[in-house]
């Protein structure tokens, strides 16, 4: 058989959309996302129009009846969890700030954005004495950047970046637990809790990485206190805890949402910390996306259970308290 004759069966197979779709689904996620659509316009159209491929790339949610990986588990301590199948590409590119699966869930500050794998020369993280993860060096503004470094960062922050449209998991969370505290000075802490920040409309599909990223990046950059600590819990909440209230609130929320983002805004009583970020404009220049939009905090869809509607709480320490709610 000549080379030209042997190519005929291959062309015949690839000309059948159903067979080509099956072959494409066997590719790894990066190849399917980046390389395969560039082969030809026909391949691009098939990838863009295939529900199965769009689900494999986490652009569309897998129908509930077709998802056998997501499961619910219960425990007597109130730590019942929804265990999603997390998007492996996002978990790789946005660890450790957004996907920390260590034995403990340490708090982070804006500084830790420099440790994400997609940043220029990712920095190693170290654990400070008070349990905050920091990236080295601890006092970054902007590194000297050449054209190649700038282009590398722009691949992630530029308009149209595909990762922003990706679901964080299959099945994707339709709600996002949100916990916020404002420590004005030592022994005087205000707590707010706004549970649901996602539109649960079916056309939305669930939590997208762009929404999660914008929420954390926006708060990490723009806050009133000396520092803002944050962390993201997936499926279950893990120690160390800011206080008993934050632990209990997080455990209750994650039962219904599967993911909780925790923020603690702290004042300048922590003299061993530099203000973070030192220069918010410089931080935004590096990490704010062209399509950034602030997420409105509050209930934007009908909660699936009454348990999600429990009232915001105020916790006080020491000599007095004050507080408010969203």
């Amino acid at each position: 058989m000549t080379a030209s004759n042997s190519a005929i069966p291959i062309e015949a197979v690839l000309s059948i959309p159903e067979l080509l779709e099956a072959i494409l689904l066997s590719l790894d996620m990066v190849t399917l996302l980046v390389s395969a659509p560039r082969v030809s316009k026909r391949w691009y159209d098939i990838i863009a129009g295939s529900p199965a491929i769009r689900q494999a790339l986490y652009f569309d949610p897998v129908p509930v009846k077709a998802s056998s990986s997501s499961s619910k588990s219960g425990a007597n301590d109130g730590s019942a969890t929804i265990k999603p199948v997390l998007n492996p590409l996002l978990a790789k590119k946005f660890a450790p700030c957004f996907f920390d699966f260590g034995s403990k869930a340490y708090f982070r500050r804006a500084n830790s954005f420099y440790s994400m794998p997609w940043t220029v020369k990712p920095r190693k993280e170290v654990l400070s004495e008070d349990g905050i993860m920091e990236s080295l060096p601890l006092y970054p503004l902007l590194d000297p950047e050449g054209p190649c470094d700038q282009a590398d960062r722009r691949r992630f922050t530029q308009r149209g970046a595909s990762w922003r449209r990706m679901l964080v998991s299959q099945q994707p969370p339709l709600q996002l637990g949100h916990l916020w505290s404002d420590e004005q000075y030592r022994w005087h802490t205000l707590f707010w809790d706004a549970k649901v920040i996602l539109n649960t409309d079916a056309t939305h599909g669930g939590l997208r990485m762009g929404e999660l990223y914008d929420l954390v990046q926006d708060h990490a950059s723009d806050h009133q206190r000396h520092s803002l600590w944050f962390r993201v819990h997936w499926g279950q909440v893990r120690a160390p805890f800011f206080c008993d209230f934050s632990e209990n609130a997080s455990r209750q929320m994650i039962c219904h949402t599967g993911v909780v983002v925790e923020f603690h805004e702290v004042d300048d009583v922590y003299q061993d910390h530099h203000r973070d970020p030192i220069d918010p404009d410089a931080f935004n220049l590096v990490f704010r996306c062209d399509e950034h939009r602030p997420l409105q905090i509050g209930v934007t869809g009908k909660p699936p259970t009454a348990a999600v509607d429990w009232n915001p709480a105020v916790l006080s320490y020491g000599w007095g308290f004050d507080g408010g709610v969203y």
Side-chain angles (χ1 to χ4, degrees):
M1 181 179 292
T2 64
S4 60
N5 289 335
S6 64
I8 294 176
I10 298 177
E11 293 177 357
V13 169
L14 297 180
S15 67
I16 302 174
E18 293 78 8
L19 294 180
L20 177 57
E21 179 188 63
I23 293 171
L24 291 172
L25 284 170
S26 68
L27 299 175
D28 65 273
M29 194 172 178
V30 174
T31 302
L32 183 57
L33 177 67
V34 178
S35 301
R38 299 178 180 177
V39 171
S40 67
K41 185 179 184 302
R42 178 170 173 271
W43 281 37
Y44 175 89
D45 291 340
I46 288 178
I47 292 172
S50 166
I53 291 178
R54 290 185 60 82
Q55 291 164 9
L57 292 176
Y58 288 75
F59 290 131
D60 291 341
V62 173
V64 174
K65 292 182 179 180
S67 176
S68 60
S69 300
S70 299
S71 61
K72 292 186 178 181
S73 62
N76 295 329
D77 61 356
S79 60
T81 61
I82 300 172
K83 297 181 179 179
V85 180
L86 291 175
N87 185 320
L89 187 58
L90 296 180
K92 178 180 179 181
K93 293 297 184 180
F94 290 88
C97 281
F98 293 88
F99 298 90
D100 183 359
F101 304 115
S103 59
K104 294 185 177 181
Y106 291 110
F107 289 102
R108 288 172 164 81
R109 301 195 296 157
N111 178 282
S112 284
F113 270 67
Y114 289 88
S115 67
M116 288 191 295
W118 64 266
T119 61
V120 178
K121 300 176 182 177
R123 297 174 180 173
K124 180 181 178 180
E125 283 191 309
V126 295
L127 183 63
S128 66
E129 292 182 359
D130 50 7
I132 306 300
M133 278 291 186
E134 307 264 22
S135 68
L136 293 173
L138 297 179
Y139 306 97
L141 288 176
L142 282 178
D143 290 336
E145 297 181 3
C148 292
D149 294 337
Q150 295 174 4
D152 188 58
R153 280 194 173 119
R154 291 295 297 162
R155 289 188 301 110
F156 281 83
T157 60
Q158 67 184 356
R159 184 173 298 277
S162 60
W163 63 265
R164 290 184 56 84
R165 295 180 284 111
M166 285 185 170
L167 299 164
V168 298
S169 65
Q170 294 283 20
Q171 277 288 316
L174 294 179
Q175 298 177 334
L176 175 63
H178 178 274
L179 182 67
W180 180 279
S181 72
D182 177 0
E183 183 171 327
Q184 293 187 355
Y185 52 86
R186 199 181 295 272
W187 311 122
H188 190 165
T189 304
L190 314 182
F191 280 88
W192 290 266
D193 170 36
K195 274 273 182 71
V196 182
I197 65 173
L198 293 181
N199 184 350
T200 57
D201 189 283
T203 59
H204 178 82
L207 179 61
R208 309 276 173 173
M209 188 63 200
E211 295 168 320
L212 177 61
Y213 181 91
D214 287 350
L215 175 67
V216 176
Q217 193 276 330
D218 194 42
H219 283 325
S221 172
D222 184 17
H223 53 82
Q224 301 301 314
R225 307 292 171 209
H226 186 262
S227 294
L228 182 131
W229 304 344
F230 70 88
R231 59 182 177 179
V232 184
H233 298 282
W234 296 99
Q236 63 179 357
V237 294
R238 290 172 292 131
F241 298 105
F242 191 80
C243 64
D244 290 343
F245 173 85
S246 65
E247 176 182 1
N248 294 335
S250 296
R251 290 192 185 280
Q252 290 185 51
M253 282 189 285
I254 210 161
C255 292
H256 304 285
T257 65
V259 56
V260 171
V261 186
E262 188 177 355
F263 298 101
H264 298 284
E265 194 175 16
V266 297
D267 220 331
D268 56 3
V269 295
Y270 300 91
Q271 297 298 329
D272 55 330
H273 283 161
H274 65 284
R275 186 170 178 83
D276 189 65
I278 295 176
D279 186 342
D281 291 336
F283 180 76
N284 287 334
L285 182 64
V286 177
F287 294 110
R288 179 153 293 184
C289 295
D290 290 347
E291 295 175 291
H292 166 270
R293 64 180 184 88
L295 223 58
Q296 296 298 316
I297 305 300
V299 176
T300 58
K302 184 179 179 181
T305 64
V308 179
D309 289 328
W310 51 278
N311 292 327
V314 178
L315 177 69
S316 65
Y317 284 122
W319 300 287
F321 68 92
D322 192 1
V325 298
Y326 287 115

